[in-house]
Amino acid sequence: MEWDLLSQLVLNGMIVGALYGVVAMSFVLIYKASQVVNFAQGEFLLVGAWVCWWLLARWGLPFWAGFLLTLGFMTIFGVLLQVIVLRPLIGEPVISVIMATVGLSIFFQALMKWMFGVFAQPFPPIFRTERVNVLGLQVQSAYLLSLAISLVVMAAFGWFFTASKHGLAMRATAFDQQVAQSLGISVPRVFAMSWTISAVVSAVAGVTVGVVNGVSSGLSFYGIKVFPAVILGGLDSILGAVLGGLIVGVLENLAQYVDAQFLGWGNMFQIAPFYALILILMLRPYGLFGTQSIERV
Amino acid sequence: MSVMTPAGDYRESYHADMCIFPTRNSRWAMLVGLALCCAAPLVLDRYALSLMINIGMLGIAALGLNILVGFTGQISIGHAAFFGFGAFASAGFADLGVPVLLAMPLAALATTAVGLVFGLPAARLKGLYLVIATLAAQFILEDFFARAQWFSGGVAGRVTDAPNLFGVALDTDARYFYVVLLWVVLSFCAVANLVRTRDGRALIAVRDHYLSAEMMGVDLAYYRTLSFGIASFFAGLGGALYAHYLRFVSVEAFTILFSIQFLAMVIIGGLGSVMGSLLGTCFMVLLPEVVQAVADALQGGAIDRALKLGSSIAFLREMTIGAAIILFLVFEPEGLARRWRLIKAYWKLYPYSY
């Protein structure tokens, strides 16, 4: 067994996994705040990345301006989605809400294909990419940058939820809506805020992936890969989401290695997380850190 | 038996409450509709007939999904994968020498078995977690189709035979229509009656309040798994009909988008409505045709050139599907079935509607 290759795979897995972690975190944010399972999470990445690409490639804006404009756009986008589509569905059964996000997902996927085509588009070169040597492993600098961005976002999340007023309001709402309301927290505003933050953070992840790998409709698959990550970590745990994302990232790469070496099935890279998902659901549906909901009769 | 139901709920016995046809008219309407369907191949052209066949086979699968989603309150977004499994299984049985008409129900049973395997987590899971489990099932099965050459023919796909009845090949649309019609009638009768049995009521009890249901002695795990099995059965049956109609099955057809379309049929038609499954399927089959017609009408015009309608018709279809799901959920959550009831009520009460 080549240890070099293996540790390289683990490192690659961690880098991708950190991005999964960021997306999973923004997924859990929506779930915790408003009990909505968002199947359109991947489309947030997609929309954000395409908008940023459009501003940079078509309008020739410098990266920082395009990036900030994208974040501004995603803020409005998130609020509008929540207010127009999700707010009328408050109080409807879970099925309806899930289906609405599924509808949003295919709508925006198709819209993006219609507007920007089906082919992957590279971002205009922003940073010089070169190979960096980390502990004897070869890593592209762009990947390191994406890892750094993931870590920054995670740290920002941590600060937001433990120290800021709005973050605390959100946690209170997630804990008990009625009590939060009686304490003067505007629950509708918290819902809208959770969608906004989730959209913005996902867009950051989307732009990061776009800068590294180019923008394509494949980005929306991140929204699907989120499910193994969040189930592994526990649906309502932000820490779990981060860990779940990392584990899924590593698992993917290792599964691909095992597949290439021993099984020869092909495609394990994509499918392995879903086998893991079924196993977790059977053995420990609340994941590593999720709340064990016990119902007594 | 009256001609019309009176305004208000005047049912006085359990028998009256459980009957399928509340009035004489509704029974006649059913029979006339069936007779019209039987005459359809003599009148309609090939295009309209193929649309009806599509509605039939997708309708059977949608009906199965409605048992799961509408009656038991469990969601599945892996329905297309089971549909595909039925298609491949039927093609496989036919290749082994089983007569095609027999291979179809056999394939449906095989799909049931697969559905039960993936449904086992369903016994422990509810709502949300089941959605995610079926999402995994969708990808795992899709991967299996792509990989298992012996089963699906791999990337190249698999050619199937037309069914054969007493030496007559049912290979034209007009002949195949009757095969589909037979299965549609059988399936819808079976489900309409299932809802009236003890098992059917148990499924509805699980949906409405699973704790109360359990306290009344309904075995949750059993009924959740059962509804998953029934849904897979009808998905497999629809898939088998699909395989022998197109005479060619390939992996690419059974994507997650197709699964979502099935869900859209059920939601647009009306959750928990047998008739609604068919209405929703009609809607979803006709919607792309309408989009196509609109795009054709605009062809060459300024709008067409500005929006690139012609070259991106596939995306427009997907967008209308997504938009239809959202609009129905926001404005008409009970689907076309309710709209149909309202229209009937309007005519019945005219001009004294209240």
Side-chain angles (χ1 to χ4, degrees):
Chain A
M1 202 117 117
E2 312 100 288
W3 286 110
D4 274 0
L5 179 63
L6 212 57
S7 44
Q8 180 82 51
L9 280 173
V10 171
L11 185 69
N12 286 355
M14 302 264 277
I15 290 166
V16 182
L19 278 171
Y20 289 153
V22 169
V23 184
M25 222 162 53
S26 43
F27 175 92
V28 168
L29 176 66
I30 288 182
Y31 180 74
K32 255 177 102 90
S34 57
Q35 269 80 49
V36 172
V37 176
N38 184 15
F39 271 80
Q41 198 71 43
E43 278 62 36
F44 284 162
L45 273 82
L46 192 65
V47 172
W50 274 123
V51 167
C52 192
W53 175 84
W54 185 70
L55 289 171
L56 262 61
R58 289 286 157 82
W59 295 91
L61 292 182
F63 180 74
W64 59 269
F67 187 64
L68 285 181
L69 275 177
T70 307
L71 295 191
F73 172 80
M74 291 309 286
T75 311
I76 300 165
F77 183 72
V79 173
L80 284 183
L81 269 195
Q82 208 276 330
V83 171
I84 294 175
V85 179
L86 275 307
R87 190 163 292 175
L89 291 174
I90 288 176
E92 296 280 333
V94 188
I95 303 180
S96 310
V97 182
I98 290 181
M99 274 314 290
T101 62
V102 169
L104 284 177
S105 153
I106 51 177
F107 181 81
F108 283 108
Q109 226 174 77
L111 182 69
M112 290 298 115
K113 280 187 204 155
W114 183 27
M115 290 172 69
F116 298 108
V118 287
F119 301 109
Q121 301 281 359
F123 258 87
I126 299 159
F127 312 103
R128 274 189 308 129
T129 52
E130 50 199 33
R131 296 192 157 273
V132 185
N133 202 321
V134 182
L135 301 174
L137 299 171
Q138 294 288 315
V139 188
Q140 283 210 0
S141 56
Y143 284 108
L144 280 185
L145 190 75
S146 96
L147 187 62
I149 290 175
S150 310
L151 291 177
V152 167
V153 171
M154 285 170 191
F157 254 67
W159 172 82
F160 179 74
F161 280 108
T162 47
S164 82
K165 192 175 151 195
H166 293 296
L168 288 174
M170 257 181 187
R171 274 170 63 196
T173 313
F175 187 69
D176 192 322
Q177 280 182 20
Q178 278 192 335
V179 172
Q181 217 157 13
S182 66
L183 287 172
I185 295 168
S186 162
V187 172
R189 194 183 297 167
V190 165
F191 282 5
M193 199 157 61
S194 68
W195 276 79
T196 306
I197 296 177
S198 183
V200 169
V201 171
S202 300
V204 172
V207 172
T208 312
V209 181
V211 169
V212 176
N213 289 337
V215 193
S216 74
S217 52
L219 269 179
S220 55
F221 208 66
Y222 275 73
I224 304 282
K225 278 282 172 64
V226 147
F227 288 102
V230 292
I231 290 294
L232 182 62
L235 251 181
D236 49 3
S237 160
I238 295 224
L239 177 68
V242 174
L243 262 183
L246 285 174
I247 295 174
V248 166
V250 173
L251 175 74
E252 262 179 5
N253 279 280
L254 290 184
Q256 193 191 21
Y257 172 76
V258 172
D259 187 24
Q261 291 288 313
F262 308 109
L263 298 173
W265 286 354
N267 215 8
M268 271 318 263
F269 185 70
Q270 301 281 12
I271 302 302
F274 294 106
Y275 283 111
L277 176 57
I278 293 270
L279 271 181
I280 302 158
L281 282 178
M282 288 177 105
L283 301 176
R284 200 181 155 90
Y286 40 84
L288 296 175
F289 299 104
T291 320
Q292 295 188 32
S293 56
I294 300 166
E295 274 150 343
R296 294 204 174 83
V297 183
Chain B
M1 193 183 255
S2 57
V3 178
M4 277 183 169
T5 44
D9 212 349
Y10 283 109
R11 283 171 285 196
E12 289 170 341
S13 60
Y14 281 116
H15 182 258
D17 195 39
M18 303 230 305
C19 66
I20 295 182
F21 302 111
T23 62
R24 209 178 301 141
N25 278 8
S26 62
R27 176 173 297 169
W28 276 111
M30 184 74 221
L31 289 176
V32 169
L34 208 56
L36 281 179
C37 279
C38 284
L42 307 174
V43 195
L44 295 174
D45 62 347
R46 229 187 133 219
Y47 174 67
L49 209 55
S50 76
L51 282 184
M52 284 188 74
I53 292 177
N54 266 313
I55 291 173
M57 50 200 195
L58 296 179
I60 291 176
L63 180 70
L65 189 63
N66 211 340
I67 293 175
L68 190 67
V69 183
F71 290 115
T72 325
Q74 308 273 66
I75 325 175
S76 158
I77 41 179
H79 210 59
F82 295 113
F83 187 85
F85 190 91
F88 287 124
S90 184
F93 282 127
D95 276 3
L96 290 177
V98 181
V100 172
L101 288 178
L102 195 63
M104 289 175 181
L106 269 183
L109 288 175
T111 315
T112 314
V114 177
L116 288 177
V117 171
F118 282 102
L120 275 183
R124 285 187 66 190
L125 306 174
K126 57 177 186 183
L128 176 61
Y129 288 95
L130 185 66
V131 185
I132 300 172
T134 53
L135 183 78
Q138 165 79 36
F139 285 109
I140 291 174
L141 279 177
E142 228 180 292
D143 175 55
F144 169 72
F145 295 154
R147 194 149 31 77
Q149 285 277 344
W150 56 273
F151 184 68
S152 66
V155 207
R158 187 159 192 161
V159 179
T160 60
D161 303 322
N164 204 313
L165 189 65
F166 305 123
V168 182
L170 303 170
D171 50 358
T172 61
D173 278 15
R175 289 177 186 164
Y176 200 79
F177 178 81
Y178 290 106
V179 179
V180 176
L181 185 65
L182 174 73
W183 282 115
V184 169
V185 171
L186 284 180
S187 314
F188 278 75
C189 283
V191 173
N193 284 299
L194 168 79
V195 182
R196 310 193 306 159
T197 61
R198 182 181 187 280
D199 288 338
R201 286 194 302 273
L203 294 180
I204 294 173
V206 171
R207 173 195 68 188
D208 286 345
H209 201 293
Y210 68 98
L211 271 184
S212 314
E214 196 169 20
M215 286 198 293
M216 290 175 71
V218 174
D219 183 350
L220 283 188
Y222 173 77
Y223 280 105
R224 280 189 182 139
T225 319
L226 178 74
S227 80
F228 214 84
I230 297 175
S232 311
F233 178 86
F234 285 114
L237 187 59
L241 285 167
Y242 169 92
H244 296 289
Y245 174 59
L246 291 187
R247 311 266 204 84
F248 175 72
V249 210
S250 112
V251 191
E252 294 101 67
F254 312 111
T255 56
I256 188 161
L257 182 69
F258 198 23
S259 287
I260 293 169
Q261 284 189 19
F262 279 123
L263 269 174
M265 289 171 196
V266 173
I267 284 173
I268 289 171
L271 291 171
S273 156
V274 176
M275 212 49 218
S277 314
L278 206 55
L279 289 177
T281 315
C282 287
F283 187 91
M284 286 303 288
V285 171
L286 296 181
L287 183 67
E289 305 299 325
V290 173
V291 174
Q292 181 77 57
V294 170
D296 284 349
L298 292 173
Q299 199 174 23
I303 302 177
D304 183 29
R305 259 172 284 136
L307 297 178
K308 297 178 289 185
L309 286 184
S311 56
S312 48
I313 190 78
F315 310 139
L316 284 177
R317 283 183 186 166
E318 286 177 33
M319 276 168 64
T320 45
I321 292 170
I325 294 175
I326 298 168
L327 291 177
F328 264 91
L329 282 170
V330 173
F331 295 110
E332 187 68 283
E334 287 174 58
L336 290 171
R338 174 164 171 274
R339 192 47 50 188
W340 174 238
R341 277 201 300 278
L342 289 180
I343 292 170
K344 275 198 299 192
Y346 176 81
W347 286 107
K348 194 165 77 182
L349 303 175
Y350 186 81
Y352 300 115
S353 61
Y354 49 88

